[in-house]
């Protein structure tokens, strides 16, 4: 039995080393000063109302931020490559603010009410968070609002422009994947609105888990491996009987696009996806407590159980 304990201890040490050893890669980042993006279509009163709503979220001195105006040309530059059809004359009302946070804090998104109303009608905070991770954004607080009811699909364009204004850059292929992701996730959530056993948090948690899992495999991961990962994460979140085959294929195609975008070459992508999944779970404990099945048990615990079972059988 003493020999068994020594073997088990050694194996756990190796597993722990493999899991927690990561390669440090410098990620795209903002300057320390917050950046506010304002839609060019806002009237003077709407602009001031937007500034008031967003600046109230800044920690510290509310006047200490830079401003970027988002125009139709901004939408064309950042969103049209992913299939959108904006023009230079397209209107822009949804606005955002992004503030750099400490390393390891992850992406946090809050949809801010405008005069007491949530005017972002389609995209949820978790969808924005997942898209931000895909685009290559890391460790930031993002606030989104709109003076008029709108789907909010253009809000991230301002965030991309905010990065460019500070001299940072984002991979356009990842930006394209992020925009497609918002469309896929919001479409699935809209189609399943009112469906028993479905929530947007479950879907976004599943997608964050998929990203983390495919990142561990690396950019040589096959479509078959991606399909298995998609199925596993849908099952972990009790969505396997809710997400239909067409929706599942869209998710698989999205994961393939993320693979091909170059995102998996950056270890920070995996860390941000894992942090997102952890945050979604912790902020919806009651929901995910109901999903505490055998398949959802802690990853380390399941590995430990398998090792113990194997060696107990061997030595017995």
């Amino acid at each position: 039995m003493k020999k068994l304990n020594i073997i088990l201890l050694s194996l756990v040490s190796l597993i722990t080393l493999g899991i927690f050893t990561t390669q440090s890669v410098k990620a795209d980042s903002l300057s320390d000063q917050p950046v506010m993006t304002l839609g060019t279509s806002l009237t003077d009163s709407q602009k001031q109302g937007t500034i008031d709503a967003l600046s109230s979220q800044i920690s510290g001195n509310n006047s200490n931020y830079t401003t970027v105006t988002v125009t139709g040309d901004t939408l064309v530059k950042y969103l049209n490559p992913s299939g959108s059809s904006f023009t230079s004359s397209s209107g822009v009302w949804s606005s955002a603010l992004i503030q750099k946070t400490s390393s390891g804090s992850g992406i946090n998104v809050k949809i801010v009410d405008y005069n007491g109303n949530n005017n972002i009608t389609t995209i949820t905070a978790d969808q924005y968070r997942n898209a931000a991770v895909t685009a290559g954004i890391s460790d930031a607080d993002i606030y989104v609002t709109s003076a008029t009811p709108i789907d909010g699909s253009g809000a991230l364009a301002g965030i991309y422009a905010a990065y460019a204004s500070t001299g940072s850059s984002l991979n356009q292929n990842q930006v394209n994947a992020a925009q497609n992701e918002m469309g896929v996730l919001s479409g699935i959530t809209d189609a399943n609105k009112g469906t028993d056993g479905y929530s947007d948090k479950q879907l976004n948690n599943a997608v964050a888990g998929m990203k983390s899992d495919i990142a561990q495999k690396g950019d040589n991961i096959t479509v078959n491996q991606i399909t298995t990962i998609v199925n596993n994460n849908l099952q972990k979140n009790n969505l396997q009987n809710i997400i239909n085959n067409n929706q599942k294929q869209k998710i698989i195609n999205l994961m393939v696009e993320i693979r091909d975008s170059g995102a998996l070459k950056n270890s920070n992508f995996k860390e941000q996806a894992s942090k997102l999944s952890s945050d979604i779970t912790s902020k919806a404990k009651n929901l995910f407590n109901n999903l505490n099945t055998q398949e959802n048990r802690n990853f380390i615990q399941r590995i430990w159980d398998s090792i113990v079972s194997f060696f107990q059988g061997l030595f017995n």
Side-chain angles (χ1 to χ4, degrees):
M1 196 64 190
K2 183 177 181 181
K3 184 177 180 182
L4 172 61
N5 287 336
I6 293 173
I7 294 173
L8 291 177
L9 183 60
S10 300
L11 283 169
V12 170
S13 297
L14 288 172
I15 291 169
T16 304
L17 181 63
I19 290 173
F20 292 105
T21 299
T22 58
Q23 181 181 2
S24 177
V25 178
K26 188 179 184 301
D28 294 310
S29 62
L30 286 166
S31 63
D32 291 331
Q33 191 173 40
V35 179
M36 184 182 297
T37 72
L38 297 170
T40 188
S41 302
L42 295 168
T43 65
D44 288 342
S45 62
Q46 288 175 334
K47 183 176 180 180
Q48 188 58 54
T50 299
I51 291 172
D52 292 342
L54 292 176
S55 63
S56 67
Q57 306 299 316
I58 303 174
S59 57
N61 185 353
N62 288 358
S63 63
N64 187 27
Y65 60 86
T66 59
T67 302
V68 172
T69 300
V70 180
T71 67
D73 288 332
T74 311
L75 303 183
V76 170
K77 178 178 180 179
Y78 291 106
L79 306 188
N80 280 12
S82 64
S84 297
S85 55
F86 293 103
T87 67
S88 296
S89 58
S90 292
V92 187
W93 289 269
S94 58
S95 303
L97 182 139
I98 182 167
Q99 183 172 21
K100 180 180 178 181
T101 55
S102 59
S103 177
S105 59
I107 302 292
N108 297 287
V109 175
K110 179 181 179 182
I111 296 178
V112 181
D113 285 351
Y114 181 92
N115 288 342
N117 297 313
N118 175 7
N119 287 331
I120 304 298
T121 61
T122 304
I123 299 172
T124 67
D126 287 331
Q127 289 169 14
Y128 277 118
R129 294 174 76 190
N130 251 318
V133 169
T134 298
I137 297 172
S138 61
D139 300 324
D141 287 339
I142 298 174
Y143 304 96
V144 178
T145 195
S146 177
T148 61
I150 201 163
D151 69 347
S153 61
L156 273 184
I159 301 302
Y160 307 145
Y163 267 73
S165 73
T166 62
S168 299
S169 62
L170 295 170
N171 180 338
Q172 184 61 51
N173 290 331
Q174 288 181 242
V175 170
N176 295 347
Q179 291 304 125
N180 288 336
E181 180 176 337
M182 285 207 296
V184 169
L185 299 192
S186 61
I188 293 175
T189 288
D190 187 58
N192 287 285
K193 197 168 291 182
T195 300
D196 187 38
Y198 176 87
S199 75
D200 181 72
K201 286 193 176 298
Q202 283 169 265
L203 177 62
N204 277 275
N205 190 60
V207 169
M210 293 169 198
K211 292 176 186 176
S212 179
D213 289 348
I214 66 174
Q216 290 193 36
K217 293 287 186 182
D219 58 344
N220 290 324
I221 187 172
T222 66
V223 175
N224 284 341
Q225 289 173 316
I226 288 175
T227 301
T228 298
I229 286 172
V230 169
N231 285 328
N232 287 345
N233 279 279
L234 289 177
Q235 184 172 8
K236 287 179 182 178
N237 288 274
N238 277 11
L239 294 172
Q240 71 275 14
N241 296 322
I242 297 176
I243 301 299
N244 62 40
N245 288 334
N246 181 51
Q247 292 167 344
K248 184 192 298 183
Q249 189 58 54
K250 288 181 179 180
I251 296 173
I252 292 171
N253 293 344
L254 177 63
M255 292 301 131
V256 172
E257 182 180 5
I258 290 173
R259 177 199 67 182
D260 295 342
S261 73
L264 305 188
K265 295 179 180 179
N266 189 343
S267 65
N268 190 59
F269 172 85
K270 178 174 67 176
E271 295 167 8
Q272 295 293 313
S274 297
K275 181 68 168 62
L276 173 56
S277 179
S278 174
D279 285 351
I280 292 175
T281 302
S282 65
K283 290 178 181 178
K285 266 185 178 176
N286 291 336
L287 171 65
F288 289 100
N289 283 343
N290 296 330
L291 305 179
N292 189 26
T293 63
Q294 179 67 25
E295 290 78 17
N296 296 334
R297 294 180 62 204
N298 180 270
F299 179 65
I300 298 292
Q301 183 63 51
R302 281 186 279 133
I303 291 179
W304 174 260
D305 289 347
S306 298
I307 294 172
V308 170
S309 177
F310 172 78
F311 279 101
Q312 282 180 337
L314 185 67
F315 283 91
N316 287 338

